[in-house]
Amino acid sequence: MIESGLGREMELYHGGRHIGSSGVREIGMSETGAWPVAGYLQDGRYGLRAPVPEDADYVTTWHEEPFPMTLEAARDLLIQQETIPWGNNPAIRLMIVDLVTDAVVGGAIVERDDNRVSKLVITVGGPDPTGEAAQRVRAAVLRLLVPWVMGELSLMTTVIDVPADETILIDAAKDLGMVEAVRLREHILRPSGRVDLLMLELVNRQWGRSDA
């Protein structure tokens, strides 16, 4: 199923042209060697594309761990990611691209377990990665990922962990039908004190139905 998603898009790139809803357009790797943004994973302002080793230069925007990573380690990570076929990779890593500036502003990961359940991790770098601006980007990406995970990848459930004070992201998740499944009290330490960590979940009601 995933081969018909982003994997399908990658196969089309080899022809150099892509026929979409807006007609025929030239595609292929850009001058920087980056894959184009997937047509079905963009909203006009932000889009998602497969990573390339050169994205190591922007590791501070997309690396999800709190500890820094060297450029060499980031490049090795991305090269290793590319060696695993899309359909067999339990963790799909994507780059978040600002379509206005063509800059990498963050990253997203879809962690899959047995092609049934998944966890989303969305990271946006910058001086305030949990501030309102970063939350708006993450909310926009969440709106792109959830329908893809539920529909194209046909997973049974998906979850995302969100600190309770990140209300913009929480509102976006609830708009998509996600509900609070777990709350860890005072799990996150902020400069102003501790806040709860929420695990928000969406169940695919069409999963497993022969008529879906």
Side-chain angles (χ1 to χ4, degrees), residues 53-127:
E54 289 73 17
D55 289 324
D57 293 340
Y58 315 107
V59 63
T60 56
T61 69
W62 56 260
H63 186 224
E64 65 279 359
E65 298 294 336
F67 305 105
M69 174 180 281
T70 65
L71 294 181
E72 292 79 8
R75 186 177 180 86
D76 289 344
L77 174 65
L78 295 176
I79 290 175
Q80 181 183 20
Q81 185 85 22
E82 284 194 322
T83 63
I84 306 174
W86 283 90
N88 298 330
N89 200 332
I92 304 172
R93 184 180 294 274
L94 301 166
M95 296 291 118
I96 303 172
V97 179
D98 185 325
L99 299 179
V100 175
T101 64
D102 203 32
V104 174
V105 297
I109 300 177
V110 180
E111 299 176 352
R112 297 182 295 168
D113 183 6
D114 195 29
N115 274 332
R116 294 186 302 112
V117 298
S118 66
K119 180 177 181 179
L120 306 179
V121 180
I122 305 172
T123 304
V124 174

